[in-house]
Amino acid sequence: MAKRNKAMDAEIAGTLMGDIGKFELLMVTHWKLIVAAGIAVVIVIGLVFGLNSCRKAADRKAANALSAAVTEEQLEQALAQYPDNPAARFARLRLARLYMNADRFEDAVQQFRLLENSGVPQEMLHRIRLDEAYLLENAGKVKEAAEQFDRYSRDAVLPAAIRAEAGYSAGRLFAEQKLLDRAAASLQLAVSLLPEIGGGNLEWCRLARFLMLNIESGAYGPYTPVASEKTSPANAVPEK
């Protein structure tokens, strides 16, 4: 038994020594190729890391430039240099609002169109479309703005807070045009959205209710409320 075990040990040792010898022979024969391959792997890893670092640094530089831009000129320059950076969306929205305030309505519309086609999140897209309606109002196209606000207020896909803002804005513009029945309908819709909005953003519902009271008091001319338009106690907006 002892002799057989020694023979097996010797055979295993011989096999191992043979494998080690083959490995050493491989290293001696192809060491240059192996070393070159190792260097190449290190270089590739370094290049990938370097490119990622450069890209991140460039993205940070672009985002900082877009965020720091305040004036029309600064925003225009930053957007021309970094049009595809994610921060460009917010910069473009700020620029559009500056154009609106300066009565540069066509330029503002162009910025809104670019925003709508840039794949912005839905929440931001809703805000953009409301701003477009405000743009129409500022441009003196009150009728078109009122219709657009009214359309958004009745879109059940939109968040309740957006619909309430649109409903109040539609009611406000309809009231200015003495279309009191339509104004009341839009305002009542805004007030009715209170349960969906909850306790966090009730300002548009409060404004809608206040304007509705003004209409009912005759501030915009003779008005007789229809029974279906009357606000139920459940829809009354709580005071602050």
Side-chain angles (χ1 to χ4, degrees):
M1 176 65 82
K3 291 182 178 179
R4 186 163 61 248
N5 289 340
K6 289 181 179 179
M8 290 178 63
D9 291 342
E11 184 178 352
I12 292 172
T15 301
L16 289 174
M17 290 300 295
D19 290 340
I20 293 172
K22 290 177 183 178
F23 176 74
E24 291 177 345
L25 179 63
L26 177 65
M27 289 295 294
V28 169
T29 305
H30 302 289
W31 70 270
K32 291 183 179 180
L33 180 61
I34 294 171
V35 170
I39 293 173
V41 170
V42 172
I43 291 173
V44 169
I45 293 173
L47 286 173
V48 171
F49 179 79
L51 289 173
N52 285 336
S53 298
C54 290
R55 184 167 58 250
K56 289 179 180 178
D59 287 342
R60 284 195 299 270
K61 180 181 178 181
N64 289 337
L66 290 163
S67 300
V70 176
T71 65
E72 287 184 13
E73 183 178 0
Q74 291 171 344
L75 286 165
E76 288 168 350
Q77 290 177 353
L79 286 167
Q81 191 170 2
Y82 309 110
D84 299 323
N85 188 276
R89 297 169 178 173
F90 300 97
R92 199 173 296 283
L93 185 58
R94 295 201 307 274
L95 180 59
R97 288 173 177 169
L98 287 178
Y99 285 154
M100 287 173 62
N101 294 335
D103 294 340
R104 295 175 58 181
F105 300 119
E106 292 184 3
D107 292 332
V109 168
Q110 183 181 9
Q111 295 303 315
F112 282 130
R113 293 292 178 267
L114 289 172
L115 277 169
E116 288 183 7
N117 296 326
S118 65
V120 297
Q122 283 296 317
E123 294 78 7
M124 190 174 181
L125 185 59
H126 301 330
R127 185 71 258 167
I128 290 168
R129 288 176 174 167
L130 277 184
D131 282 347
E132 282 188 275
Y134 287 120
L135 173 62
L136 288 173
E137 179 185 356
N138 290 340
K141 300 179 179 179
V142 177
K143 182 178 179 180
E144 292 89 337
E147 295 294 345
Q148 188 159 319
F149 279 127
D150 186 61
R151 185 166 61 254
Y152 291 152
S153 72
R154 301 178 188 284
D155 188 345
V157 176
L158 300 179
I162 292 290
R163 294 179 63 198
E165 180 180 352
Y168 165 74
S169 298
R172 173 175 55 79
L173 295 180
F174 284 140
E176 290 177 6
Q177 300 172 74
K178 306 301 181 183
L179 301 173
L180 300 186
D181 288 340
R182 295 201 64 184
S186 295
L187 295 171
Q188 294 291 355
L189 174 59
V191 173
S192 73
L193 292 169
L194 173 65
E196 297 181 45
I197 295 174
N201 188 9
L202 306 179
E203 192 61 30
W204 299 112
C205 297
R206 291 193 178 97
L207 288 171
R209 181 58 185 151
F210 180 77
L211 182 54
M212 188 65 218
L213 290 173
N214 283 342
I215 291 175
E216 291 174 346
S217 70
Y220 290 86
Y223 172 70
T224 303
V226 181
S228 60
E229 292 178 352
K230 293 180 180 178
T231 306
S232 66
N235 287 334
V237 181
E239 297 297 331
K240 291 182 180 179

